[in-house]
Amino acid sequence: MNISELTFDPSKCFIGGEWVSPRKNKTISLTNPSNGQILCSISRGDEQDIDDSVQEARKAFEGVWGNQTAVARGRILMKISAQVMEKADYLAKLEAIDVGKPLKQAKADALALSRYMEFYGGAADKIHGETIPYLEGYTVYTMREAHGVTGHIVPWNYPMQIIGRSVGAALAMGNAVVLKPAEEACLTALAFAEIAQSCGLPAGALNVVPGFGEEAGAALSSHNGVDHLSFTGSVHVGSLVQSAAAKNVIPVTLELGGKSPQLVFDDADLDRALPFLINAGIQNAGQTCSASSRILIHSKVYKEVSNLMRQRYESLQVGAALNDLDVGPLISKRQKDLVNSFIRSGDDLEKLAEGQLSQNAIQDGYFVRPTLFGKVPVNHKLAQEEIFGPVQTLIPFKDEEDAIEIANGTDFGLVSSIWTTDGSRQMRLAKKINTGQVFINNYGAGGGVELPFGGVKKSGHGREKGFEALYGFSKLKTVAAFHG
Ligand code: NAD
């Protein structure tokens, strides 16, 4: 794909319905992770551009956008959904060259963005309050209202999906949005703004300011004109954003990292499990918050499962995003170096298998061979820390109790999965495993636009996706009327 095919200028911000240069006219170079070459310049927005955006969002919230009916908001989101669907191939190519994800995976993300807009468009007029029986002479009811201006800080790994689940839900409830995409990948965020405007989203309802986290991101998290923050990213930055939100006493949703386990029992259907065990670890080159980086295996089937995984790993092909192989490059040289240092930390462990670099995986791309480690001690950093690369660790367990202890034995609690055909065990473990989502005999449930998602412990708090996000992106008002 040629960057000159873009119908918007990536070096501009989208503020108040206009494409504008950042006030200081500074830019950042965006790199194609598949070849290390510069793709284009994007804007380096800062405090002033964020302030402009918050003011435009406020105007929209108090004006045209905030006064739309719920059904009118929903219809605009539905139109956006249809446009995203129509442009899915274009958006997928943009995401592929920007993030480095294989084309098929990027296409799935574009379709997920369309589905989020459809889901939240349809939900916009279906969320309501309730009446509460109370003292004699009173009628009491609750109303769900928009927060006002919502700030959204998103990472580079799944721009379209994260925009879909957070911006979609926020707009459905009538909030006006300021979006700060990641400096490493923001083209689809800008393309989304262009599509939204063409579908009739009023000026100021969505503002997009690309820029560095410490500049634009920090300015958005501390701006006193923002009423709610949604942050997806690392634990370290999440705690900075939460501190900034605390100073303004505003709610914040944190979607952070994970060290998500899959538990394979000796009665598991291994034919069904195998693709999930591996794909959940290597999808998007392992740069997924819910990546399953720990595979816990009952000792009776450890040898069989590790052999099956080893064989599949050896056939994995790594290459440029547009070649659409199993695994693409990592986002940056920094990420590649970080993941390689994790792999080196396992030099004394059993390295079971590595994937293959395809011939066109050129040296300047940020490629790392998927790596599978066997019998990893539970306290090893490979079994405890988020790697954010295509690396999985196999850990044997003795029995159910042992499996639960290992599964819950990290700082994180985002997602888990249980592979067993024993129904009672499924129910017991679903209760005992401390993660925001538990899957039984699957992993990820096909994306799960409808399913509330979020973490416990250092994986964050608050829920996005599904109807639950609509509660997060709104506030509840109680009205108590005395009429005698
Ligand atoms: P990151 O925290 O470095 O960056 C995320 C976003 O925060 C970017 O837009 C960045 O510009 C911004 N940012 C950076 N410093 C900031 C600051 N001081 N103030 C405000 N904003 C700032 O994370 P990353 O390395 O880009 O992404 C990887 C992390 O994100 C991983 O830990 C991963 O697990 C997590 N993640 C979580 C989810 C989820 O839904 N739970 C989804 C995707 C990624």
Side-chain angles (χ1 to χ4, degrees), residues 132-140 481-484:
I132 302 172
Y134 195 52
L135 304 175
E136 200 178 336
Y138 279 87
T139 296
V140 179
F482 178 70
H483 40 69

Side-chain angles (χ1 to χ4, degrees), residues 153-158 162 165 180-184 211-219 221 231-238 240-241 254-258 287-290 334-335 386 388 412 414 453-455 459 464:
I153 301 175
V154 306
W156 42 263
N157 57 348
Y158 286 85
I162 296 169
R165 76 185 193 208
K180 207 301 278 175
E183 53 271 44
E184 296 90 346
F212 287 123
E214 311 79 57
E215 293 177 355
S221 16
F231 173 81
T232 306
S234 61
V235 177
H236 169 66
V237 177
L240 295 179
V241 171
L254 295 182
E255 300 279 5
L256 310 177
Q287 303 164 116
T288 305
C289 52
S290 54
R334 191 183 69 135
Q335 192 70 16
E386 186 178 45
F388 234 52
F412 298 100
L414 194 55
F453 173 76
S459 293
E464 290 189 344

Side-chain angles (χ1 to χ4, degrees), residues 162-214:
I162 296 169
I163 289 168
R165 76 185 193 208
S166 83
V167 173
L171 290 175
M173 291 311 298
N175 298 284
V177 166
V178 178
L179 168 64
K180 207 301 278 175
E183 53 271 44
E184 296 90 346
C186 66
L187 294 180
T188 51
L190 295 166
F192 176 73
E194 188 185 37
I195 290 173
Q197 186 178 40
S198 76
C199 294
L201 190 71
L206 169 65
N207 305 274
V208 186
V209 182
F212 287 123
E214 311 79 57

Side-chain angles (χ1 to χ4, degrees), residues 415-429:
V415 168
S416 59
S417 135
I418 304 158
W419 293 95
T420 176
T421 47
D422 177 339
S424 308
R425 181 188 279 148
Q426 293 169 358
M427 298 302 114
R428 274 195 305 276
L429 266 79

Side-chain angles (χ1 to χ4, degrees), residues 70-82:
V71 66
R73 290 198 304 269
R75 283 184 183 141
I76 292 177
L77 294 194
M78 293 289 216
K79 272 194 201 158
I80 299 175
S81 163

Side-chain angles (χ1 to χ4, degrees), residues 460-483:
H461 52 74
R463 294 291 176 266
E464 290 189 344
K465 300 193 180 185
F467 240 70
E468 201 61 31
L470 299 168
Y471 300 124
F473 283 108
S474 60
K475 56 184 191 275
L476 192 73
K477 181 180 278 174
T478 306
V479 181
F482 178 70
H483 40 69

